[in-house]
C-alpha cells in the first residue's frame, strides 16, 4: 500500500496526490492527512483500518470529476482508486465486473471492441464509474433506457469497519439499496460493480443536429417540448446553449442521438424531428453516421481539461413554462466556453422507479456548466450561476447529486421517505462517521447527512 503523508512527503508529491487528479482546476484549500494510492481490495481494506487506527475519516476518489472535489477533505485518509483498474466480462450473462475508477470511455472502449457490448455510462469520457453510479448515473439515453444504476446488479463494498461484503437484492440489501443513489454519502467504499450490459448498436448509431441563432430560442425550444413525449424509445434529446465551434455567436444547439440496430430504423426514428423542425437553422445535419467514440470526443471538447468549473442543476416542475424559466440561463452565458443544458427525461420520469435510494426526477433536467480559465473570473462566473439558480430553484422540484455542490446550495435530492431511509442506513452502517459523507458548508453534516430540503432564501 503506497501512502503519501502530508507531514513527511515532498510538498510537490503531496500536492500532486492531493489534487493532481481533480478535474476542476478551481482546486479546494482542504488537506488530507494522507493519500493512499490503492491498487487492490486489500489496499482499500488496509486504508479503512488505518483511518480507524488514526481516528480520522476516509474519503474516496474514483475519477476525480466531482465539480466540488468531494474527495479532498481536511485531515482524512484519501483513498485514491486511480491505479485500481480491473475489468472482467461474462459474455454469456452480459455482466461486467468493473472497478470504480474505470471511466466510461475505458469501459466501453473495451466492451465494444472485444465483445460488441456497451454500458450506458456517463456522457463525459473521463468520468469514473464510482461517483457516477453512486449518484444514480444519468447515462446514455436515460430518458428511455433508465438510470445507469438500475443496471448495477451487485456491488462489492468495504464497510466503515473494514469488512468486505457482497451486496445485491438478496444479500446486504440495505447497502445495495443505498449504493444506487446515495452519492458521496454512501457509508462504505465500493470496490467493484457488477454491471448489466447491452448490445452496442454499431450499425444504427446515428445523430441529427440543428443549430439555431439564440433569437429563435423560444420557437426552437417549444418545438422540442412538443415532440419529446412519444418520441422514439432509443433516442436521447438534448438542447444546449453554447458558442459552437466556428460560430462566433451564442446559439441553441439541438441534438438527437439514436442507437438502433440498423440504419433504416435510425432514419425512421429521426425523420419526425427533421420534418417538423422550425426554419432558420444556421447549421443542420440529418441521420449522420455516428458512434460512441465520436460522442465522447465531442463531450471532451465541451468539457476541456485544465479549466475552472462551476456546475449547478435542477429538475424543473413538469407543469412549468420551461423556456421562460430557463431563458436567462440560456441567453446570458458568462463565458464562451460555458454552456447550459436541457435534457429530456420523459418517459423515464413518469414510471415507478425500482426500490433504490435514487428517487428524484422530473420531465425536465437542467444543468449549467460554467467553464473558464483565469482565476480572476471566479467571482463573476460563480455569482452568475448563483443568480440564475436563485430564480430557477423556485420552479424546481429538486436536483441531481452529480452536478451539485452542497456547500453552496441546499435543495432536495431524494423523495422524502428515501432520504430518511438513506440517512438511517448511513448511521447504522457508519455510526462513527468514518466515511466523510456529504460535503456541506464547513463540512459539518457528519452522520446527520443532508436535510433534503429547499432553501429558497439562497
Amino acid at each position: 500500500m503506497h501512502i503519501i503523508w502530508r507531514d513527511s512527503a515532498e510538498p510537490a508529491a503531496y500536492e500532486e496526490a492531493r489534487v493532481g487528479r481533480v478535474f476542476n482546476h478551481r482546486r479546494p484549500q482542504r488537506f488530507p492527512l494522507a493519500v493512499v494510492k490503492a491498487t487492490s481490495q486489500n489496499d482499500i481494506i488496509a486504508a479503512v483500518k488505518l483511518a480507524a487506527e488514526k481516528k480520522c475519516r476516509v474519503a474516496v476518489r474514483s475519477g476525480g470529476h466531482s465539480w466540488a472535489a468531494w474527495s479532498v477533505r481536511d485531515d482524512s485518509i484519501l483513498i485514491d482508486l486511480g491505479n485500481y483498474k480491473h475489468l472482467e466480462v461474462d459474455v454469456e450473462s452480459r455482466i461486467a465486473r468493473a472497478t470504480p475508477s474505470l471511466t466510461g470511455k475505458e469501459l466501453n472502449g473495451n466492451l465494444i471492441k472485444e465483445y460488441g457490448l456497451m454500458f450506458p455510462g456517463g456522457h463525459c469520457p473521463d468520468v469514473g464509474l464510482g461517483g457516477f453510479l453512486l449518484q444514480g448515473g444519468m447515462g446514455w439515453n436515460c430518458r428511455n433506457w433508465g438510470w445507469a444504476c438500475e443496471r448495477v446488479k451487485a456491488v462489492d463494498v468495504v464497510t466503515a469497519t473494514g469488512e468486505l461484503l457482497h451486496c445485491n437484492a438478496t444479500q446486504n440489501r440495505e447497502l445495495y439499496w443505498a449504493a444506487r443513489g446515495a452519492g458521496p454519502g454512501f457509508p462504505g467504499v465500493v470496490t467493484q460493480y457488477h454491471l448489466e450490459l447491452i448490445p452496442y448498436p454499431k450499425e444504427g448509431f446515428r445523430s441529427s443536429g440543428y443549430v439555431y441563432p439564440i433569437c429563435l430560442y423560444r420557437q426552437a425550444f417549444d418545438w422540442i417540448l412538443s415532440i419529446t413525449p412519444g418520441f422514439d424509445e432509443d433516442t436521447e434529446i438534448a438542447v444546449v446553449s453554447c458558442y459552437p465551434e466556428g460560430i462566433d455567436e451564442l446559439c441553441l444547439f439541438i441534438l438527437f442521438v439514436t442507437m438502433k440496430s440498423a440504419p433504416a430504423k435510425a432514419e425512421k426514428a429521426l425523420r419526425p424531428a427533421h420534418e417538423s423542425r422550425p426554419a432558420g437553422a444556421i447549421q443542420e445535419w440529418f441521420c449522420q453516421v455516428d458512434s460512441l467514440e465520436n460522442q465522447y470526443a465531442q463531450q471532451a471538447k465541451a468539457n476541456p481539461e485544465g479549466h475552472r468549473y462551476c456546475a449547478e442543476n435542477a429538475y424543473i416542475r413538469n407543469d412549468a413554462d420551461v423556456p421562460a424559466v430557463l431563458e436567462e440561463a440560456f441567453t446570458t452565458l458568462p463565458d464562451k466556453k460555458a454552456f447550459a443544458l436541457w435534457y429530456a427525461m420523459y418517459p423515464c420520469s413518469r414510471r415507478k422507479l425500482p426500490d433504490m435510494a435514487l428517487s428524484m426526477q422530473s420531465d425536465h433536467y437542467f444543468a449549467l456548466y460554467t467553464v473558464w480559465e483565469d482565476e480572476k473570473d471566479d467571482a463573476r462566473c460563480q455569482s452568475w450561476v448563483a443568480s440564475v439558480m436563485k430564480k430557477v430553484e423556485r420552479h424546481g422540484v429538486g436536483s441531481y447529486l452529480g452536478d451539485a455542490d452542497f456547500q453552496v446550495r441546499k435543495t432536495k435530492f431524494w423523495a422524502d421517505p428515501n432520504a430518511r431511509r438513506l440517512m438511517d442506513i448511513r448511521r447504522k452502517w457508519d455510526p462513527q462517521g468514518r466515511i466523510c459523507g456529504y460535503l456541506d458548508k464547513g463540512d459539518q453534516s457528519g452522520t446527520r447527512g443532508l436535510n433534503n430540503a429547499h432553501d429558497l432564501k439562497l
Side-chain angles (χ1 to χ4, degrees), residues 360 393 397-400 410-416 452-454:
M360 178 58 64
E393 172 79 353
V397 296
S399 293
Y400 174 56
K410 299 176 184 177
T411 188
K412 296 186 71 167
F413 296 99
W414 307 274
D416 288 334
N452 195 49
H454 294 279

Side-chain angles (χ1 to χ4, degrees), residues 83-289:
N83 295 328
Y84 177 43
K85 293 182 186 287
H86 181 70
L87 175 64
E88 295 179 31
V89 180
D90 185 328
V91 178
E92 187 174 336
S93 64
R94 289 184 181 171
I95 295 291
R97 289 176 288 277
T99 50
S101 66
L102 281 174
T103 67
K105 185 178 180 180
E106 289 171 337
L107 175 64
N108 279 321
N110 186 290
L111 291 176
I112 293 169
K113 180 181 178 182
E114 299 296 332
Y115 310 103
L117 299 170
M118 68 172 284
F119 180 73
H123 289 71
C124 291
D126 43 10
V127 168
L129 287 174
F132 172 75
L133 289 172
L134 283 176
Q135 289 152 181
M138 193 181 294
W140 294 103
N141 197 29
C142 185
R143 67 175 283 263
N144 294 298
W145 295 352
W147 294 88
C149 70
E150 296 181 58
R151 298 179 188 275
V152 174
K153 295 306 175 185
V155 287
D156 297 326
V157 174
V158 174
T159 68
T161 59
E163 182 182 8
L164 180 62
L165 298 178
H166 184 71
C167 312
N168 58 25
T170 58
Q171 297 173 258
N172 302 302
R173 292 174 61 184
E174 285 185 328
L175 289 176
Y176 177 60
W177 182 90
R180 297 181 298 161
F186 183 70
V189 183
V190 176
T191 65
Q192 185 169 238
Y193 287 98
H194 300 247
L195 306 174
E196 178 186 56
L197 309 177
I198 60 176
Y200 176 63
K202 178 180 179 180
E203 299 304 319
F205 201 120
R206 299 287 189 274
S207 67
S208 290
Y210 305 91
V211 179
Y212 288 95
I214 205 66
C215 63
L216 295 179
Y217 166 80
R218 181 80 202 208
Q219 186 179 353
F221 216 136
D222 283 344
W223 163 61
I224 284 298
L225 292 175
S226 72
I227 66 172
T228 295
F231 205 81
D232 176 75
E233 63 185 13
D234 295 314
T235 303
E236 70 172 39
I237 304 171
V239 178
V240 185
S241 170
C242 61
Y243 288 83
E245 191 173 359
I247 301 178
D248 195 30
E249 64 175 286
L250 185 59
C251 295
L252 199 69
F253 173 43
I254 299 172
L255 178 65
F256 299 82
V257 177
T258 194
M259 288 165 267
K260 291 289 192 183
S261 59
K265 292 182 179 180
E267 182 172 345
K268 182 179 179 182
L270 295 171
R271 179 66 64 183
H274 193 67
E275 291 182 346
S276 63
R277 73 197 188 282
I282 299 171
Q283 292 179 355
E284 64 177 40
W285 67 86
F286 171 66
C287 201
Q288 177 176 283
V289 173

Side-chain angles (χ1 to χ4, degrees), residues 333-361:
L333 295 178
D335 190 276
K336 285 194 172 183
K337 292 187 177 183
F339 61 101
L341 167 74
W342 173 87
Y343 188 56
M345 299 298 293
Y346 185 99
C348 175
S349 53
R350 299 296 183 99
R351 65 180 173 82
K352 180 177 173 58
L353 289 169
D355 186 25
M356 58 186 180
L358 176 73
S359 47
M360 178 58 64
Q361 56 180 358

